[in-house]
Amino acid sequence: MSLIVQKYGGSSVSDAESVKRVAKRIVETRKAGHDVVVAVSAMGDTTDELLDLAHTVTPLPEPRELDMLLSAGERISMAVLAMAIKGMGYDAQSFTGSQAGMLTDAHHGAARIVDVTPVRVRKALDSGAIAIVAGFQGFNRDTMDITTLGRGGSDTTAVALAAALDADICEIYTDVDGIFTSDPRVVPRAHKIDTVTSEEMLELAAAGAKVLYIRAVEYARRHGVTLHVRSSFSNNEGTLVINPKEGETVEQPIVTGVAIDLSEAKITVVGVPDVPGKAAQIFKIIARADANVDMIVQNVSAAATGLTDISFTLPKSEAQSVLTALRNERDDVKFASLQHDDQIGKLALVGAGMRTNTGVSARLFESLYDAGINIDMISTSEIRISVVTRADTIAEAARAVHTAFGLDGDVDAVVYAGTGR
Amino acid sequence: MSLIVQKYGGSSVSDAESVKRVAKRIVETRKAGHDVVVAVSAMGDTTDELLDLAHTVTPLPEPRELDMLLSAGERISMAVLAMAIKGMGYDAQSFTGSQAGMLTDAHHGAARIVDVTPVRVRKALDSGAIAIVAGFQGFNRDTMDITTLGRGGSDTTAVALAAALDADICEIYTDVDGIFTSDPRVVPRAHKIDTVTSEEMLELAAAGAKVLYIRAVEYARRHGVTLHVRSSFSNNEGTLVINPKEGETVEQPIVTGVAIDLSEAKITVVGVPDVPGKAAQIFKIIARADANVDMIVQNVSAAATGLTDISFTLPKSEAQSVLTALRNERDDVKFASLQHDDQIGKLALVGAGMRTNTGVSARLFESLYDAGINIDMISTSEIRISVVTRADTIAEAARAVHTAFGLDGDVDAVVYAGTGR
């Protein structure tokens, strides 16, 4: 008998019928002899509808009240799911974030988990019941207020419960079959990955793979929780996200996947005096504008002028405020001009095998060159190489690299319409 | 400066626009220098929609989960109301039943309040904020579970908060102007009552007046809370429900109002042996069928036969199960037959002045006789006389009695379409 934590997203519980289907799946897991804890998101578009309601009433809703409001969504889904399971003759009890001991800091809208004390969840399991826990929400002990965990919060709830309960596995149910070697809508020969390390998964998620949220993967990695990302619409095996121990060798291909991302823009600060402390000065300005900078590249200084260019990428939506912030400090920083490019695409090659294999970047650049694709920026980590190209060449680039590294499956992947939450 | 508790029902907060209108009214009360605590129901038909959802998933939802589900309704309305007030530049904080210290027993779906410890509400008031409390819900300390108070629960929440906070007044906002001398749809000359005692209000509510729930009036009476029942759609004064102290004389008309009720049926147990213990035996059977018996009349025994008839009224919906229960015990009780009549109407004349005035019943019977209306059953309390007549004569009966006791206003009452919650 194992202890299994399952997470179901909003698209898996969009109406009464799908709640019943999910209840059946949970009951089947219980019937197989396992203890089951479920983290559930709000039904369908409930969270967005509640957000709309809030913004109809006031343009800037109070964060504390917004969390109170949004937390009603999971309260509905968890109670309905629990009564559906009860209706099938199996014992089930639902718990809010606070009842499940999901203790967070007081940062409304994006609270961090500080402790998980699932005493009542454990008691429910001991009594033979299935425990249904509200995803996405927590509780701050100092203010005694309800908090929410922000985007992907239900994934984090599931992983945190799995860690605190020492679960055997944390199953993340979504509307795709698992993690793919690339986006099947762009690369038809992309195929599902059977196993990926959490380290690789982090790089893939950071590079644009949308199925899992970085925060949940980080939490799983830190606490050694094994994830199983799978579809709630089939019984197929999905993708295992594992945490090999220090020194443990896992048979892995050199390259696990090719992630692409069209959501970023590039800003270049042109003609920056090449003196110590300049980069720090620039990125302090950017940090004050609350921007999430991704890649940073500084060109070699042209000896004649003593000037250099600094380029960085960031989410498109944050570009304008950063441009304004930099312009306001131009006299201080003494740069020549700013360039803004929102027609870029990012491609990231990820694989733990890169560590011990040479020539990966050479093969990457060669395959792009063969496809006639120009590289704009390059950035590398231990197990990832990212390149920025023109947005309109990104699909061709992904297909070329996918083929060059032997990732192509035998058949085209089936593409689903929906997106995970 | 006073402390005012206001209660707004679902029809007063049916959408974003009406939430803003209610927020404005609350802010105006605050601006006038008062401390304000608000008990709010779920928006519009939310509670019914959640009930429907539950019944789509399973025919008999688990009571604990149903309470968890339904409590989401007030969580939404209170948060939206609080953020609307915040948006107007006034401080507001929302509190769930448990955060507001609304402690109940564990009877899910119809929990009784056992203690009210509004520490956080008091703290919010002390900091200058308006406190918004979820109506209808509470918390059981033993099970640590969410409960709901049942029908009219938000009225009870408001009254309980007013009592615990020693508020100066508890304003119950609804969609009618107050308590009327009779139902204006039946008696056009009915008029709003300015002041009524809680004792009279209890009798009126028990006799079919729907504006206030008996339980909330009982609570107000027991704790000496003054209620002000008024419309959330106008600034008119409504009806004060007061608690005169022992011995205190209140200038009152002999008769306060004429309530009518068409929701009951009459059952007569015919030919019951007139021996001690028979009535007890019969009403034990009825109690086991969970029926709410209202009026009971036993005729004088016919000396020749030693048999008597026992009649009682009860909600129409409960008649069939009681008839079945009685039929099953016929051999034991040894009655002759059962009569069932669902075409009855009940009229109740209520007034604290009856205590010290003789001739009230004579005048009632005379006015009905003059109108050619036959009386079927009579039952009296200290401050109420109820009669049962044919359903199709009840309107005429009400108008005749209303006139006979000088209750007619100078003009016809304005009739609103909606009904309060």
Side-chain angles (χ1 to χ4, degrees):
Chain A
M1 193 180 90
S2 307
L3 170 52
I4 299 178
V5 174
Q6 301 186 330
K7 179 260 175 174
Y8 294 92
S11 60
S12 300
V13 290
S14 56
D15 54 20
E17 275 318 302
S18 52
V19 167
K20 283 199 264 185
R21 206 192 54 230
V22 163
K24 218 175 133 196
R25 186 180 276 268
I26 294 167
V27 163
E28 273 160 17
T29 312
R30 183 82 191 85
K31 270 178 171 167
H34 305 298
D35 279 343
V36 189
V37 176
V38 175
V40 65
S41 301
M43 291 174 72
D45 300 324
T46 307
T47 304
D48 289 336
E49 286 163 16
L50 291 174
L51 269 173
D52 285 350
L53 175 62
H55 287 108
T56 313
V57 167
T58 181
L60 278 172
E62 171 77 7
R64 175 190 185 270
E65 301 300 335
L66 196 57
D67 275 0
M68 183 70 93
L69 177 67
L70 295 183
S71 69
E74 283 76 26
R75 180 172 278 236
I76 292 171
S77 57
M78 74 185 204
V80 173
L81 184 54
M83 59 179 72
I85 293 171
K86 273 270 185 181
M88 291 174 185
Y90 283 76
D91 199 12
Q93 280 175 50
S94 70
F95 299 104
T96 62
S98 76
Q99 289 178 338
M102 200 63 63
L103 302 177
T104 72
D105 62 19
H107 191 156
H108 286 291
R112 291 254 144 201
I113 295 172
V114 294
D115 197 8
V116 184
T117 54
V119 181
R120 295 191 67 183
V121 172
R122 177 66 80 186
K123 226 170 117 182
L125 294 177
D126 289 347
S127 77
I130 295 160
I132 313 290
V133 177
F136 180 67
Q137 60 184 247
F139 178 71
N140 179 264
R141 210 170 244 172
D142 299 327
T143 62
M144 301 284 281
D145 280 334
I146 308 298
T147 56
T148 65
L149 309 179
R151 283 265 150 215
S154 295
D155 286 2
T156 311
T157 301
V159 174
L161 282 170
L165 294 164
D166 198 19
D168 296 277
I169 199 153
C170 178
E171 298 181 336
I172 307 284
Y173 283 92
T174 178
D175 50 9
V176 294
D177 275 337
I179 310 296
F180 278 67
T181 51
S182 195
D183 185 339
R185 286 166 299 190
V186 177
V187 182
R189 284 291 163 103
H191 66 272
K192 196 193 70 198
I193 307 171
D194 291 333
T195 307
V196 69
T197 66
S198 57
E199 191 186 18
E200 290 171 314
M201 191 62 235
L202 274 179
E203 292 283 7
L204 285 169
K210 295 280 189 297
V211 181
L212 275 181
Y213 284 88
I214 294 182
R215 207 168 140 197
V217 181
E218 272 176 355
Y219 204 106
R221 181 170 160 74
R222 208 160 54 238
H223 292 84
V225 174
T226 304
L227 304 178
H228 186 184
V229 182
R230 59 194 305 192
S231 167
S232 68
F233 297 91
S234 78
N235 280 311
N236 299 342
E237 291 288 309
T239 301
L240 283 178
V241 184
I242 58 167
N243 302 285
K245 288 191 189 71
E246 197 69 42
E248 192 178 338
T249 29
V250 184
E251 197 64 44
Q252 285 267 258
I254 299 170
V255 165
T256 309
V258 180
I260 58 175
D261 187 358
L262 289 167
S263 70
E264 298 197 338
K266 185 178 77 167
I267 291 176
T268 304
V269 188
V270 181
V272 180
D274 194 7
V275 296
K278 268 298 152 194
Q281 189 184 7
I282 287 171
F283 286 99
K284 236 183 257 172
I285 295 166
I286 296 166
R288 276 202 300 269
D290 256 343
N292 293 290
V293 170
D294 177 21
M295 289 169 73
I296 301 172
V297 174
Q298 180 172 346
N299 297 346
V300 179
S301 163
T305 60
L307 296 177
T308 185
D309 301 338
I310 295 178
S311 296
F312 54 91
T313 65
L314 77 177
K316 278 178 184 169
S317 58
E318 298 172 357
Q320 280 311 328
S321 61
V322 168
L323 287 169
T324 307
L326 285 170
R327 246 179 243 123
N328 291 342
E329 307 280 343
R330 185 176 164 178
D331 292 350
D332 221 28
V333 182
K334 301 194 201 312
F335 59 82
S337 64
L338 293 173
Q339 284 174 5
H340 172 219
D341 183 353
D342 63 359
Q343 292 301 312
I344 62 164
K346 195 178 72 175
L347 180 153
L349 195 65
V350 174
M354 283 187 196
R355 263 199 205 95
T356 49
N357 280 271
T358 52
V360 174
S361 41
R363 209 202 297 182
L364 170 65
F365 301 148
E366 193 182 3
S367 65
L368 290 173
Y369 173 77
D370 286 347
I373 290 156
N374 205 37
I375 300 173
D376 215 18
M377 287 171 87
I378 299 171
S379 141
T380 59
S381 84
E382 227 185 335
I383 63 163
R384 176 188 45 78
I385 309 173
S386 302
V387 298
V388 167
T389 73
R390 307 308 312 151
D392 55 9
T393 64
I394 196 77
E396 208 187 328
R399 284 190 292 268
V401 172
H402 201 264
T403 303
F405 283 90
L407 292 173
D408 287 358
D410 295 333
V411 290
D412 285 1
V414 181
V415 175
Y416 300 94
T419 56
R421 255 191 97 177
Chain B
M1 193 179 89
S2 307
L3 170 53
I4 298 178
V5 175
Q6 301 186 330
K7 179 259 174 175
Y8 293 93
S11 61
S12 298
V13 290
S14 56
D15 55 19
E17 274 319 301
S18 51
V19 167
K20 283 200 262 185
R21 206 192 54 231
V22 163
K24 217 174 134 197
R25 187 181 275 269
I26 294 167
V27 163
E28 273 159 19
T29 312
R30 183 82 192 87
K31 271 178 169 166
H34 305 298
D35 278 342
V36 190
V37 176
V38 175
V40 65
S41 302
M43 291 174 72
D45 300 323
T46 307
T47 304
D48 289 336
E49 286 163 16
L50 291 174
L51 269 174
D52 284 351
L53 174 62
H55 287 107
T56 314
V57 167
T58 180
L60 278 172
E62 172 77 7
R64 175 191 186 270
E65 301 301 334
L66 197 57
D67 275 1
M68 183 70 92
L69 177 67
L70 295 183
S71 68
E74 283 76 25
R75 181 171 277 236
I76 292 171
S77 57
M78 74 185 204
V80 172
L81 185 55
M83 60 180 67
I85 294 171
K86 273 269 184 182
M88 291 173 186
Y90 284 76
D91 199 11
Q93 280 175 49
S94 71
F95 299 103
T96 62
S98 76
Q99 288 178 339
M102 200 62 63
L103 302 177
T104 72
D105 62 18
H107 191 156
H108 286 292
R112 290 254 146 202
I113 295 172
V114 294
D115 198 8
V116 184
T117 54
V119 181
R120 294 190 68 182
V121 173
R122 176 68 78 186
K123 227 171 116 183
L125 293 177
D126 289 348
S127 78
I130 295 161
I132 313 290
V133 177
F136 180 67
Q137 59 182 247
F139 178 71
N140 179 263
R141 210 169 246 174
D142 299 327
T143 62
M144 302 284 280
D145 281 334
I146 308 299
T147 55
T148 65
L149 309 179
R151 283 264 149 216
S154 294
D155 286 2
T156 310
T157 301
V159 174
L161 282 170
L165 294 164
D166 199 18
D168 295 278
I169 198 152
C170 178
E171 298 182 334
I172 307 284
Y173 284 92
T174 178
D175 49 10
V176 294
D177 275 338
I179 310 295
F180 278 67
T181 51
S182 196
D183 185 339
R185 286 165 298 188
V186 177
V187 182
R189 284 290 163 101
H191 65 270
K192 195 193 70 197
I193 307 170
D194 290 334
T195 307
V196 69
T197 66
S198 57
E199 192 185 18
E200 290 170 314
M201 191 63 235
L202 274 180
E203 292 283 6
L204 285 169
K210 295 279 188 298
V211 181
L212 276 180
Y213 284 88
I214 294 181
R215 208 169 140 196
V217 181
E218 272 176 355
Y219 203 107
R221 180 171 161 72
R222 209 159 53 239
H223 293 85
V225 174
T226 304
L227 303 179
H228 185 183
V229 181
R230 58 193 305 191
S231 167
S232 68
F233 297 89
S234 79
N235 281 312
N236 300 340
E237 291 288 308
T239 301
L240 284 178
V241 184
I242 59 167
N243 302 285
K245 287 191 191 71
E246 197 69 40
E248 191 179 335
T249 28
V250 184
E251 197 66 43
Q252 285 268 260
I254 299 170
V255 166
T256 309
V258 180
I260 58 174
D261 187 357
L262 289 167
S263 70
E264 297 197 341
K266 185 178 76 167
I267 290 175
T268 304
V269 189
V270 181
V272 181
D274 194 6
V275 294
K278 268 298 150 191
Q281 189 184 6
I282 287 171
F283 286 100
K284 236 182 259 172
I285 295 166
I286 295 167
R288 277 202 301 268
D290 257 342
N292 293 290
V293 170
D294 178 22
M295 289 168 73
I296 301 173
V297 174
Q298 179 172 348
N299 298 346
V300 179
S301 162
T305 60
L307 296 175
T308 185
D309 301 337
I310 296 178
S311 296
F312 55 89
T313 65
L314 76 179
K316 278 178 183 167
S317 57
E318 298 172 358
Q320 281 311 328
S321 61
V322 167
L323 287 169
T324 306
L326 285 170
R327 248 179 242 121
N328 290 342
E329 306 279 343
R330 185 175 164 181
D331 293 348
D332 221 29
V333 182
K334 300 194 202 314
F335 58 81
S337 63
L338 293 173
Q339 285 175 5
H340 172 219
D341 183 353
D342 64 359
Q343 292 300 311
I344 63 164
K346 196 179 71 175
L347 179 153
L349 196 65
V350 174
M354 282 188 197
R355 261 200 207 96
T356 49
N357 279 272
T358 52
V360 175
S361 41
R363 207 200 298 181
L364 169 65
F365 302 148
E366 193 182 1
S367 66
L368 290 173
Y369 173 79
D370 287 346
I373 290 156
N374 204 38
I375 301 173
D376 215 18
M377 287 171 87
I378 300 170
S379 141
T380 59
S381 85
E382 228 185 335
I383 64 163
R384 173 188 47 80
I385 309 172
S386 302
V387 297
V388 167
T389 73
R390 306 309 310 151
D392 55 10
T393 65
I394 197 76
E396 207 188 329
R399 286 190 291 269
V401 173
H402 202 265
T403 304
F405 282 90
L407 293 173
D408 287 358
D410 296 335
V411 291
D412 285 359
V414 181
V415 175
Y416 299 95
T419 55
R421 253 189 99 176

